[in-house]
Amino acid sequence: MKKDDSIKFLQGNEACALGGITAGARFFAGYPISPASEIAELSSLLLPQRGGIYLQMEDEIASIAAVIGASLGGMKAFTSTSGPGLSLMQENIGFAIMAEAPCVIINVQRFGPSTGVATRPGQADVMAARWGTHGDHGIIVLAPTSVQECYDLTIEAFNLAEALRTPVILLTDATLAHLREKVVTKTDKELSIISRQKPHQVTGDYQPYRPGPNGVPVLPDFGDQNILRITGLVHDHDGYSTPKPQTAGDLVHRLLQKIEGATGLMPTPRYFGSNDPEIVIISFGISARSSREAVNRANDQGVKARLMQLPTIWPFPEEAVRNACSDAKAVLVAEMNSGQICREVRACGIQREKVVGVNRADTAVITPGEILQAIKEVMIL
C-alpha cells in the first residue's frame, strides 16, 4: 500500500507550527514557555529547511517585537507563548494593531493567574486576549477544539491577519497542545492562502495609510521604493503623527470597523446534536470536546440537546448565539474559567436566568459527566 504523506499523527503544538509554515510563515521569534515550547522547537527545525528564520529571543517582549519587525519587512511571522508571556506581549500587540502589522500569536493557555501551574490547562485568557492591550481596538481570536483544527485554524489565522493587516491570536490550551491525533495536511497549492496586498507602483502622491475599500490600507514593505512611516501614535494617511481629534477618531473607528465589519470572513460556529434543542450548550476549545460527548449521551437518553462550538471567540458571534438560543429552555456555557464567555452570552440579550455556567477553574478539564449532570439539573427546574 502506498504511504499517504498528507496524513500525520501530531500533537496540537506540532500542528500549530506546521499550519503556520504551510500558511507561508517564514519567521518565528519566541521564548520557551510551558506548555507552548514544542511550537518553537518544531519551528526551529522546519523553518531553516524552508528558507525561513527562527530566532530564540531573550523574552516575550523581544519576541513579539521581532515578529512585528519581520512582518513590516514583508514576511509572514508568528510567535507562541502562554499566559505570563501573553501579558508581556500586550503593549506590542497594541502597537501591531495601530501600525497594522499582520502577525499570529499562538497562546497555549495554562492555569493562572501569574505563573499558576505551568503544565496544567485553563481557559481563562479569553478576556486577556480581547482586552489585554489598552485602548479601543478590534481583535480576532480563534479557538481550535481538535488537533486538526490546530492545523486548520492556524492557517486561517494567517489568512485573516494578512487580509485585514492585524494581529490574530490563536487560543489553545495545555491539554489540546499535547493531545496527539490524526491530522490531514495539505500543501499550500491545495489551500486558499492569502497574502497581504502591496502597492504596484511608485507614485509621488502615494499615502500608505489611506484605507482601501474594505478599510485596509495597502502598505509597502520596509525597503521598498515607497516610503513607509510606522508609529504607534495616531497618524494621518501619510504616516505622520498628529493629535487632531478628527484624525484620531477616524483612525480608531476604522481599526475597529475593519475587524467588526469582517465577521463574514471568520470561521462560523459548528453545531452538533438535536436540530430542535431544548438545551443549548455553548463551548470552545477542549471544553467543547467534553460538551459534544455530553450532548451525544443526552440525545441517547431522549434529551434534546445541542452543542454550539465557537471556533471564533472574538469578534463574539452575537447574532449566531441569539439565533441558536432563542427557543431553548436553558443555555449552558461550559468553560474552564469562572464565566468569561457566559458573561458574553448573557450580554447578547439572552434571558439571564436561562443562562447557566458549567465551570471548572482548578487545573482539571470539565468532564462529559459533569456537563450531562448539569443538563439533567436544568431539565427538572
Side-chain angles (χ1 to χ4, degrees), residues 54-117:
Y54 169 86
L55 285 183
Q56 165 72 57
M57 304 304 292
E58 65 269 35
D59 59 33
E60 288 85 352
I61 299 173
S63 299
I64 187 67
V67 164
I68 292 169
S71 174
L72 293 173
M75 301 184 79
K76 290 187 179 181
F78 69 134
T79 187
S80 61
T81 190
S82 190
L86 182 67
S87 297
L88 292 173
M89 291 182 180
Q90 293 290 2
E91 183 178 3
N92 270 333
I93 291 174
F95 178 84
I97 291 169
M98 195 64 145
E100 301 186 66
C103 58
V104 172
I105 302 109
I106 301 168
N107 181 52
V108 184
Q109 296 173 99
R110 70 190 207 189
F111 189 78
S114 188
T115 42
V117 182

Side-chain angles (χ1 to χ4, degrees), residues 263 267-271 280 282 306 308-312 315-326 345 348 350:
T263 54
T268 55
R270 300 181 67 192
Y271 301 92
V280 172
I282 299 175
R306 191 184 203 195
M308 180 183 195
Q309 176 187 316
L310 306 180
T312 301
F316 195 70
E318 296 179 13
E319 185 176 353
V321 168
R322 276 193 292 272
N323 292 338
C325 301
S326 59
V345 172
C348 290
I350 311 296

Side-chain angles (χ1 to χ4, degrees), residues 12 17 22 24 31 36-37 46 66 81 111 126 152 159 179-180 204 220 243 262 276 288 296 359 361 371 381:
T22 302
Y31 181 77
S37 296
L46 296 182
T81 190
F111 189 78
V126 172
D152 295 337
N159 280 346
L179 183 67
R180 196 170 284 277
D276 181 25
N296 289 339
N359 308 101
I371 299 170
L381 291 178

Side-chain angles (χ1 to χ4, degrees), residues 280-292:
V280 172
I281 301 172
I282 299 175
S283 192
F284 65 99
I286 193 69
S287 295
R289 297 172 70 101
S290 297
S291 300
R292 186 172 176 181

Side-chain angles (χ1 to χ4, degrees), residues 337-348:
N337 58 51
S338 297
Q340 297 184 24
I341 289 294
C342 193
R343 291 185 183 89
E344 293 302 308
V345 172
R346 287 176 174 142
C348 290

Side-chain angles (χ1 to χ4, degrees), residues 48 130 170 260 292 334 348 364 368 380:
R130 176 64 186 94
L170 188 81
E260 299 294 335
R292 186 172 176 181
C348 290
I380 61 176

